[in-house]
Structures are given as structure tokens and as C-alpha cells.
Amino acid sequence: MKRVLGMVAGMAVLVGLVASVEQPAMAGNAAVEAAPAAPVAPVAPAVWGACPRVTGKAVNAALECATVQVPLDYSRPSGRSIKVAINRIKAKTSRSADRLGALLINPGGPGASGRALTEYVAAGLPDGVRERYDIIGFDPRGVGGSDPAMHCVDPDVFYKAPRQDAVPHGAADEQRLLARAAEYAGSCGERWSWLLPHLTTENAARDLDQIRAALGEKKISYLGFSYGTYLGAVYATLFPNRVKRLVLDSIVDPTAVWYRSNLAQDHSFERRHRQFLTWIAEHHDVYKLGRTLKQTQFAYYAMRDRLRTRPAGGVMGPSELDDTFTLAGYSDRIWPQFAQAWSDYVRQGDTKGLLDLYDKHGKNDADDENGYAVYLAVQCRDARWPREWSTWRTDMVAAHRTAPFLTWPNAWFNAPCAFWPVSGGTPVNVRGSAKLPPVLMLQARDDAPTPYDGALRMRRLFPTARMVVDQGGNHGVALAGNQCVDRHLAAYLRDGTLPKRDAECAALPAPRPAERMAARRVPASASPGLGGLLGVLGLIGLPSLK
């Protein structure tokens, strides 16, 4: 889930404040319920060809691209259609008996590009597995290479740094933050009134089945990260007899879609942030930011407060800091880079490290805005959100007392859902089925974007599943260096073998400090959900899934 935090920034709103903000036009607050799906006409086979060149990236001759035409509205399948972009790296085996079919992948979001993950998964799967699958990436409706690709605002204007602090300092700040959220929702409604009612996880799952048909497969295998686990679970609920293998990595709570899920994230990110600060305290000899958690917490919020009045390089204020340092909740692999940049700023007044991190991890562009637009479109439409700001404010004030790191940024990230032109519907009742084959679930115990308790709730809904728990806290545990986890993944993808009971894998070793580490983009292995969308998001990713 790519989390593009701070796109909207902050969340406390005084009771009655919302009355002064004009509601966006379109469908008002009336719910627009999805009609039952109707039979869909046969799907044309995918026609594969060369992929478009990507600036600055070498061409992979093994990568092929295609589009699949899908109904905009599955209750009217003969009506307007849209296109979903897909790509693939074909199986290497030439024997049909050895081929295991298509493995479709999704990195999360909602709003992340699955096509961006295809090469990584194909390269990461072990010998004896990758040769036997066609690895299929897809951009869900509205995303990336799909047509149309959704954009709501000019990213150069919307993301101009430094933005207002996500934590309001009085009623006037709240008013401006609230107006920003309403403006974004209104802009989406003005541009995409015909599309918004149909951007749901359920429709994305039905698109997934159209892709299956276009590939000529009776059944598909699926590997989903973060929000991609929810999409996979919805697909398995709707089409259990069309699933061959199902892997869910970093699992969304399907019972908390989506408002409560984001509240849970505030607390799980707080725990993970404190783990990061504790790690820094343990290496005080290197970073000199404090010997205890209390001291490093003080140092962090002192830095944040200073940036409010003196943005680093004139661009990195507290909201940009929030955007950037949230990534440390996804992967501890980047902790040394982040700690060094922070230390250089505090100890030497050197802003270069912070600015490099922001430029590589926190700065947003048109692709990020596309991901954010689709993230909101899906989450705001999937389920109902509170329309009264008194509800939001009560919940956020309470959460901020114990989870100050993410509560306000996360709230404003989702705040347009309070104004969304199409009201939320009823989520799919996710559940397992006797028709569904065994399922493999992978989860880190201290995962911040998709907390462990939510994964357990998903686990209880799928009686044929087994869960492998990584004892660490990184988001996206498959193909990320934990050999224990990857052995379970390989055995399952190879022949459907699951552990006899739920299993545990030791966490990877904690990172070691490395002075003057060069800032670099988070590797996809740190979190495919993040690498595909964040880069997160959690967007529950990130946000939620972000």
C-alpha cells in the first residue's frame, strides 16, 4: 500500500467546524449501493507485446505487456468498459506438465501498481518455482497504466513544500486543513463523477477474474501484500473455485474496513516508532541522540517542532518529516540511514541527510497523486465513513494522547472520505469456503501498517489456512531475506505444501549502525507494498495499507 502521508496533513476538527466548509457537489451524502453483478460476456484473450520504455530504466526483454477490457459497471456488463494494464514474465519451462499456471501479484495500496512488482517477484522466487509460473502484474482500475488513470489535482501545487503542519495549532489551522480535505474530495468528484461509484475492492476482484479469463486459465494463483491481502481475500470469497494457490502477506483486518483499521494503525505505528527510537538509544555512542527511549522521544519531537518554524532547506517542515520518517515503520533496514541523517542535523546542523531522505522517500509526484486518488476512491467507496467531524475529532484526540507519531497525519490522509461525493457501501463479507484450497498467510508480529491482531481475525475466517509468523516488525516478509519464511513460501507455491500447524520464524537480525550511509530508495524487499506504492502507503497501506 503506498502511503503518501501528508498529502492532506493532520486531524483535529472542532465540533461544528465542518459546517463552514462547502460540501462537494455530485451525489451529496446519499449512499450509492452497487447492484448485483450480471453475467459477463466471454473475455478476449490477452494480446501480448513489447512494454513501453520507462525513462532511466533498462528494458527487460522478458517482460511483455497487454491490456484487458473490463466492464465499468458489472451490473451492466454490456455498457461502458475501461482497460486494466497487465504485464508478465513467462514461465521458463517448456513442458506443460511442469507449468504451474499464472501467479498474479499485487503490492497493496489501494492505488499501487502491480506491474512495478513483476520483475522483483520473478527474480526473488527460488529455483524450481519461478521457472514454472507466468508472473503476472496488473494495475488495478484507475491506476498507472490502466485507462483511465485517475488524477484529481495538480501535484506540483498540491504537494508544494513546506505544507502546513499536520498537527493543528488552534481552530484556524483546523479550518485550513479541513478545507484542504474537502477541496480534494470535490476535485475528484468534478473530474470523475462517472468513475467514482465503481472504484471498489469488489470490482477490482471481478477485474481480477476477467484477467484470469483473458489469460486462458481455469484457476489462478495469487500473491498479495498489505491491501493486496484484502483484495485476494475478496477474490477468494467471490470465486473460491478459481483459486489454485493463495498467499497473503502482511494481512489486513477484513472486519475493520476502513475507518477502524486506520485507528488501529495509529497505535501500531506508535509501537514501531518507539522500537526505532529504542534502537537509536541503544546506539547512543554512534548517534548521540539520547541513551533512553524518553530522551530520544524528546529529541525527535524537538526536531519536529524546530522544523515548523525553520524548515530544513526551506522545504522540509514537520509534515514532510512525518511523510519521510513514517517509512521507518515499514522496514528496519533503513533505520541506520534515517538515524544518521537525524543525528547530523541535530549534532552538526547539517540538513543534507534529511533533505536527501525527503527527496528519495517523502517527496511526491504525479504517480504518487494517482496512487492517492485511487486509494481514497476505493477506501471511501468500499465502506461507510463518519460524516460528522465530531466523531473524527473525538477519536483522534483520544488516539493522539498515546499515539502522537501518526494520529493527525493519518487522519488528514483519510479526511477526504468525510466529504467524498459518493458515500461508502457495504464491504464484501470475507470468508473461507469448502471450495477454497489451503491458504498460506505470512505476517510479522510487530507489523505497523497491518497489525498482528487484524491478521489473526483474517486467519479465523479461513479454516483451510496456515499462518507463518515472522517475529520481527517489517512489513512484507516474503522474499525479503528471511529464509525460514521463504522456505514455507516456496514449498507452498511448488506443490501446495503447508506447515502442519501455524508456524513461527525468527526475525532477521536488527540492523547495525553504519556511519554516513548513503540515502537510497527503500528496496522493494523491504516492503513490496511500499516499493510499489510507497512506498508505501500501508497507503491501509499506507494509509491503511498503505
Side-chain angles (χ1 to χ4, degrees):
M1 44 20 261
K2 177 175 181 177
R3 285 233 39 153
V4 194
L5 286 172
M7 288 185 172
V8 191
M11 169 159 239
V13 182
L14 297 173
V15 176
L17 186 60
V18 70
S20 64
V21 179
E22 182 179 357
Q23 292 280 351
M26 191 174 117
N29 288 341
V32 182
E33 299 297 342
V40 180
V43 182
V47 178
W48 297 99
C51 294
R53 284 182 170 271
V54 178
T55 302
K57 186 176 180 181
V59 175
N60 184 343
L63 198 66
E64 301 174 289
C65 288
T67 58
V68 177
Q69 194 160 295
V70 302
L72 170 68
D73 182 351
Y74 278 92
S75 70
R76 299 177 177 84
S78 60
R80 186 170 185 172
S81 64
I82 57 177
K83 293 179 181 179
V84 174
I86 64 176
N87 65 5
R88 75 173 177 183
I89 293 180
K90 292 182 67 175
K92 295 181 180 179
T93 181
S94 59
R95 294 181 52 191
S96 58
D98 291 337
R99 184 177 176 275
L100 291 171
L103 175 65
L104 278 75
I105 54 176
N106 181 273
S113 167
R115 297 192 308 161
L117 196 59
T118 305
E119 292 174 83
Y120 171 76
V121 170
L125 289 174
D127 293 340
V129 175
R130 63 186 176 197
E131 297 91 342
R132 303 176 67 186
Y133 281 100
D134 291 342
I135 310 300
I136 310 291
F138 64 98
D139 288 355
R141 55 174 56 196
V143 175
S146 294
D147 186 14
M150 186 177 174
H151 292 275
C152 293
V153 296
D154 179 350
D156 291 337
V157 175
F158 191 67
Y159 298 132
K160 187 176 181 180
R163 302 186 313 276
Q164 183 180 344
D165 189 349
V167 180
H169 295 263
D173 284 353
E174 294 176 358
Q175 178 73 41
R176 287 190 291 271
L177 292 165
L178 183 60
R180 181 177 169 88
E183 181 182 6
Y184 192 90
S187 181
C188 289
E190 290 170 3
R191 297 186 183 196
W192 300 103
S193 60
W194 63 273
L195 181 63
L196 293 185
H198 309 292
L199 288 175
T200 64
T201 299
E202 179 177 349
N203 280 339
R206 295 189 183 281
D207 293 346
L208 190 57
D209 201 57
Q210 295 289 97
I211 295 172
R212 174 202 59 78
L215 296 174
E217 301 284 353
K218 293 182 178 180
K219 296 186 177 185
I220 57 171
S221 297
Y222 178 89
L223 168 60
F225 299 88
S226 198
Y227 163 80
T229 66
Y230 181 66
L231 175 58
V234 169
Y235 182 80
T237 299
L238 298 177
F239 305 103
N241 59 332
R242 295 175 186 169
V243 176
K244 184 172 185 177
R245 309 262 197 274
L246 180 65
V247 184
L248 308 180
D249 184 336
S250 303
I251 301 160
V252 166
D253 182 353
T255 70
V257 177
W258 288 111
Y259 181 74
R260 289 192 296 115
S261 178
N262 281 280
L263 287 173
Q265 275 191 335
D266 296 339
H267 297 283
S268 57
F269 266 97
E270 184 69 27
R271 290 191 294 271
R272 190 65 171 149
H273 181 61
R274 291 182 182 186
Q275 289 177 356
F276 172 46
L277 297 180
T278 298
W279 178 85
I280 290 175
E282 291 170 351
H283 298 289
H284 177 73
D285 59 324
V286 176
Y287 302 117
K288 294 180 171 48
L289 292 168
R291 298 181 183 276
T292 66
L293 170 61
K294 185 176 182 179
Q295 290 174 346
T296 53
Q297 279 183 308
F298 177 84
Y300 181 82
Y301 287 105
M303 172 177 65
R304 191 185 187 282
D305 189 59
R306 179 181 176 84
L307 291 173
R308 190 164 65 88
T309 55
R310 301 179 185 180
V315 297
M316 190 174 193
S319 288
E320 289 72 28
L321 185 77
D322 294 340
D323 293 358
T324 304
F325 271 72
T326 296
L327 282 124
Y330 285 81
S331 173
D332 58 23
R333 293 187 177 193
I334 59 176
W335 287 1
Q337 303 168 40
F338 279 58
Q340 190 64 61
W342 174 12
S343 178
D344 288 349
Y345 173 72
V346 171
R347 307 298 301 178
Q348 303 174 28
D350 184 354
T351 63
K352 184 179 185 304
L354 286 182
L355 293 173
D356 284 348
L357 290 177
Y358 169 66
D359 187 59
K360 293 175 173 62
H361 301 305
K363 195 173 182 179
N364 298 302
D365 58 17
D367 288 341
D368 295 320
E369 195 277 326
N370 168 240
Y372 182 55
V374 176
Y375 165 85
L376 287 173
V378 173
Q379 292 221 342
C380 300
R381 182 71 183 95
D382 265 355
R384 289 175 173 82
W385 291 71
R387 291 281 180 165
E388 297 295 330
W389 271 109
S390 58
T391 300
W392 289 69
R393 188 173 195 276
T394 297
D395 289 339
M396 302 312 150
V397 167
H400 183 71
R401 291 191 187 104
T402 56
F405 175 67
L406 191 64
T407 294
W408 293 136
N410 196 14
W412 284 112
F413 188 85
N414 292 279
C417 287
F419 304 96
W420 206 246
V422 181
S423 292
T426 301
V428 172
N429 183 22
V430 169
R431 64 195 182 280
S433 164
K435 298 178 182 179
L436 193 66
V439 175
L440 177 62
M441 297 184 176
L442 308 173
Q443 177 71 30
R445 189 172 295 278
D446 290 329
D447 189 318
T450 52
Y452 180 68
D453 288 348
L456 293 180
R457 294 186 186 99
M458 179 80 87
R459 169 70 179 82
R460 287 192 286 269
L461 295 173
F462 287 84
T464 65
R466 293 289 184 272
M467 181 178 286
V468 176
V469 178
D470 179 317
Q471 295 299 314
N474 290 341
H475 184 66
V477 296
L479 310 179
N482 191 318
Q483 295 182 7
C484 171
V485 171
D486 287 349
R487 282 195 298 270
H488 286 292
L489 175 66
Y492 176 72
L493 289 178
R494 188 180 297 115
D495 55 24
T497 299
L498 289 175
K500 293 182 179 180
R501 58 184 63 85
D502 289 355
E504 294 187 354
C505 290
L508 293 173
R512 295 190 301 175
E515 294 187 13
R516 311 296 176 191
M517 288 184 66
R520 60 182 184 275
R521 179 71 69 172
V522 177
S525 59
S527 169
L530 177 91
L533 149 109
L534 225 193
V536 110
L537 100 94
L539 299 121
I540 147 192
L542 224 155
S544 240
L545 313 161
K546 345 78 313 69

